[in-house]
Amino acid sequence: MTEIEHTANTGHSDDRTAMSEAGAAPDPVHRQTPLHASDQPYDAHVLAQLDADAALIIARYPQRRSALLPLLHLVQSVDGFVTGRGVNWCAEKLELTAAEVSGVATFYTQYKRHPNGDYTVGVCTNTLCAIMGGDEIFERVSDHLGIGHDETTEDGKVTLERVECNAACDYAPVVMVNWEFFDNQTPQSATALVDDLRAGNEVTPTRGASRACAFKHTERVLAGFPDGLADEGVGAGPASLEGLKVAHQRGWTAPDPGADDDHGPEGADGAGEAER
Amino acid sequence: MSTQLTPILTKFWDDPQSWTLDTYLRNDGYKALRKAVTMQPNELVAMTKDSGLRGRGGAGFPTGMKWGFLPPPDGGPRYLVVNADESEPGTCKDIPLMLAAPHILLEGVVITSFAIGCEHAFIYLRGETVHVYRRLLRAVEEAYAAGYLGKNILGTDFSLEVTVHAGAGAYICGEETALLDSLEGRRGQPRLKPPFPAVAGLYARPTVVNNVESIASVPSILLHGADWFSGMGTEKSTGFGIFSLSGHVTRPGQYEAPLGITLRELLELAGGVREGHELKFWTPGGSSTPIFTAEHLDVPLDFESVAAAGSMLGTRALQIFDETTSVVRAVARWTDFYAHESCGKCTPCREGTFWLSQIMERLEHGRGSQDDIDKLVDICDNILGRAFCALGDGATSPITSAVQYFREEFEAGMHTPAAELFPPSRSTLFAKETVAP
């Protein structure tokens, strides 16, 4: 893994940022950009939109500070990562210090501290997925793209990550693309997936919207702004329905509320359900 | 006679549009709410206590009792916060529930809020599942439009606002007090208890924090009665729950059954361990619950029986591993996870998980030293019970239980890499596919 100091990174980088000076053309993508690296002000119209969105977010909570997590998602939806100007803007909106905001931003793994690719490809390598093939998938995709964990392809399309358990163990091994489920993957399917992403082809999650959306788009949704795609995709994938299928086959249902049922599901109180 | 499955929460997940309000209304949706608003709030709390419902998020604390701990109303706000931060390795029940049927959860939220006198409820969803967030936001929108949320619900004096909040990637936020700090816009670090959230929770106000599945179980209890619920399961672990089978099993998936069903029964329904292989070890309730082996196939999966056998029911996350799997590799990876996710607040957990991870790494690569096993057990002993929250305890569970049942594999780690003893390619789902060396 080679990590080269970003040219815009004028400050000293921390110890974990391995630097390779040797013969390096400035690498536009592999870098640990400090949070203060991007301080140029927002354009007026961008700022106006941010401020309007922030007002809506803050209004969802009894106390302002609760808006911080969605505001940081919102910053990423504009800047592609948590920038210095984004931190300052959050601080201003919530009457916090920049240090307080940075302290929060650096705690959560979804907040990126350097520019992210258009698609975060997260291969689950927690125990169950790893054993079912997640390790092989990560290795193969990593070799194929020539990047390691938390690194981005030179075209800026794909950021590869090892992710922790994403609550889809019955679909192992699982790959997430911008936090959409790609279930039951193999090394072949996952390399084809990243090839499609780099070529600009649409890719369809197994359980999710009809297409994987770009990073900034997804971050806007995570800030709490619906994109109208909720009705796309399946309700449940095949594994989610295995138990129900067995129950159907064997004629099993939940127990009848039975004798003591004075207000059972067939009761008369359902009248007028449809109109309000 | 074998235990039968009881599809209740999962009942209509196979509907092509299972997540919509229309579908939910066709499946008794919001009928329980209509009944709830004709009752007294304390009757609802009593009903939930009577049902015996215990928290479905892992700890198993009685849900109705949690509600009952709130101090008497003082005129200020009281909050319900739903813990939808499902992140425990192996656990995969709440996410499919909210994807397939978000209105079940929402109806439970409205009923529970009515019962505890809450006018603003929160659903804290982990941020790494964007489509689930879309479905929840849409369900909330539909519920407002239909008058199940907002001002004067169903023509009563009761009003409720619901905010669905997306987290940003942190396992620790599944711990209820860390979740509250996170929801307040802070780093997700646990609080010292007491005070418990019931007394000083969100914004230091009385707060109930319940798991998704717990809250989603409330409408059916109200509709069919506490007796109906407690008629399922065992005496002290009443009702039904979703059992999640994953790993080396023929048909992994979600199986909704009364508590007390056994893994042997569940495996029979799921087509058994994958063909040509046999069970080696499994987790009854996620990676934080001590592992079991084939000798535990007949342990009833209820809180008491699993505890008596030396583990915890946890979240009923049954991760199945066959004989191709290196237990050292499995445990090493879980240990990395805990080291990565330790929030850093308590020294035993922050430092201990780091050292455990170093030692497990050595053992996995056949470079362990003579005293590494003793050192592991000693470090576990120094973490267990010495941190604010259960994350540290959870980190020790896989290690101490694996050493107990598979000590010889840890001993082999002093000279032979796990990958030599158990070639990883044999464990994969695509074992027949050529895997690059």
Side-chain angles (χ1 to χ4, degrees), chain A:
Chain A
M1 169 184 348
T2 52
E3 284 185 335
I4 299 165
E5 193 173 20
H6 181 225
T7 46
N9 177 355
T10 50
H12 62 277
S13 75
D14 68 43
D15 300 342
R16 286 167 300 164
T17 308
M19 280 174 289
S20 155
E21 310 268 317
D27 183 329
V29 282
H30 300 173
R31 59 211 162 186
Q32 295 285 335
T33 311
L35 291 174
H36 55 75
S38 172
D39 282 334
Q40 64 270 43
Y42 287 109
D43 291 343
H45 71 281
V46 174
L47 188 62
Q49 180 67 51
L50 277 172
D51 288 344
D53 289 341
L56 294 172
I57 293 173
I58 291 166
R60 292 179 204 147
Y61 302 94
Q63 293 192 10
R64 291 178 90 80
R65 184 165 179 161
S66 282
L68 183 51
L69 266 63
L71 284 190
L72 286 165
H73 280 304
L74 189 67
V75 165
Q76 298 207 110
S77 78
V78 172
D79 286 342
F81 68 113
V82 177
T83 51
R85 62 182 181 177
V87 167
N88 292 336
W89 175 77
C90 288
E92 188 189 307
K93 289 283 130 189
L94 302 179
E95 295 155 21
L96 299 170
T97 65
E100 285 170 320
V101 174
S102 296
V104 172
T106 52
F107 186 83
Y108 299 92
T109 51
Q110 279 185 291
Y111 299 134
K112 311 303 296 249
R113 298 161 73 177
H114 45 98
N116 200 69
D118 294 340
Y119 297 94
T120 299
V121 173
V123 181
C124 179
T125 54
N126 199 302
T127 298
L128 189 113
C129 273
I131 284 171
M132 302 301 283
D135 276 355
E136 281 81 353
I137 291 172
F138 183 88
E139 216 171 291
R140 189 81 71 87
V141 172
S142 173
D143 284 351
H144 185 70
L145 296 176
I147 55 174
H149 168 73
D150 199 25
E151 294 182 342
T152 304
T153 52
E154 283 182 22
D155 57 10
K157 293 283 188 197
V158 172
T159 299
L160 181 63
E161 283 186 1
R162 296 173 184 277
V163 297
E164 297 297 2
C165 185
N166 226 93
C169 315
D170 44 346
Y171 297 95
V174 172
V175 171
M176 306 298 295
V177 175
N178 286 343
W179 312 115
E180 296 271 22
F181 291 107
F182 287 75
D183 300 327
N184 301 118
Q185 294 294 296
T186 67
Q188 278 85 342
S189 67
T191 45
L193 176 64
V194 294
D195 283 346
D196 278 337
L197 290 171
R198 295 187 77 185
N201 301 331
E202 251 180 35
V203 299
T204 306
T206 324
R207 291 173 294 140
S210 64
R211 63 184 193 284
C213 302
F215 181 75
K216 290 181 178 177
H217 174 118
T218 304
E219 283 296 321
R220 186 169 173 83
V221 178
L222 292 176
F225 295 103
D227 57 3
L229 305 182
D231 286 335
E232 294 188 353
V234 297
S240 309
L241 299 174
E242 285 294 355
L244 186 59
K245 214 164 74 183
V246 171
H248 284 328
Q249 282 162 1
R250 306 198 183 190
W252 292 345
T253 56
D256 194 323
D260 65 325
D261 174 30
D262 48 352
H263 27 57
E266 271 76 55
D269 55 350
E273 204 73 63
E275 89 283 348
R276 254 112 2 214

Side-chain angles (χ1 to χ4, degrees), chain B residues 248-250 272-278 322 324 426-429 431:
Chain B
H248 292 133
V249 52
T250 308
V273 169
R274 69 172 173 157
E275 205 181 346
H277 295 275
E278 59 190 45
D322 69 21
T324 64
R426 292 180 53 218
S427 301
T428 66
L429 265 195

Side-chain angles (χ1 to χ4, degrees), chain B residues 392-413:
Chain B
D393 298 349
T396 70
S397 292
I399 294 177
T400 45
S401 57
V403 169
Q404 179 188 344
Y405 297 119
F406 299 99
R407 192 179 180 98
E408 67 289 351
E409 276 188 45
F410 285 77
E411 284 166 354

Side-chain angles (χ1 to χ4, degrees), chain B residues 213-384:
Chain B
E213 195 186 352
S214 312
I215 293 292
S217 300
V218 170
S220 64
I221 296 173
L222 179 50
L223 210 50
H224 305 312
D227 291 344
W228 167 82
F229 186 82
S230 60
M232 287 176 269
T234 65
E235 192 194 339
K236 288 182 177 163
S237 299
T238 60
F240 55 86
I242 300 176
F243 291 79
S244 310
L245 269 80
S246 61
H248 292 133
V249 52
T250 308
R251 288 187 295 276
Q254 308 301 320
Y255 296 79
E256 194 175 6
L259 302 190
I261 195 169
T262 65
L263 180 62
R264 190 185 299 281
E265 290 173 312
L266 284 164
L267 276 177
E268 190 264 316
L269 301 175
V273 169
R274 69 172 173 157
E275 205 181 346
H277 295 275
E278 59 190 45
L279 177 63
K280 180 175 176 181
F281 64 98
W282 54 290
T283 64
S287 61
S288 302
T289 62
I291 62 169
F292 273 168
T293 65
E295 71 182 81
H296 302 98
L297 271 167
D298 295 309
V299 172
L301 296 171
D302 60 62
F303 292 104
E304 291 70 29
S305 305
V306 177
S311 187
M312 291 176 284
L313 183 62
T315 49
R316 288 151 279 122
L318 308 158
Q319 306 174 85
I320 312 295
F321 299 96
D322 69 21
E323 84 292 345
T324 64
T325 314
S326 158
V327 77
V328 171
R329 177 183 174 214
V331 171
R333 194 60 60 90
W334 279 323
T335 306
D336 288 346
F337 165 77
Y338 290 105
H340 181 250
E341 300 295 335
S342 173
C343 78
K345 186 163 186 165
C346 310
T347 309
C349 172
R350 181 186 66 241
E351 303 298 316
T353 54
F354 172 79
W355 285 108
L356 290 175
S357 161
Q358 306 296 305
I359 298 173
M360 286 306 305
E361 205 260 339
R362 284 206 290 271
L363 288 168
E364 185 185 349
H365 292 93
R367 292 186 277 101
S369 69
Q370 207 66 40
D371 52 358
D372 270 350
I373 298 176
D374 290 343
K375 206 174 287 170
L376 279 177
V377 173
D378 186 50
I379 296 171
C380 286
D381 197 42
N382 277 299
I383 297 175
L384 191 67

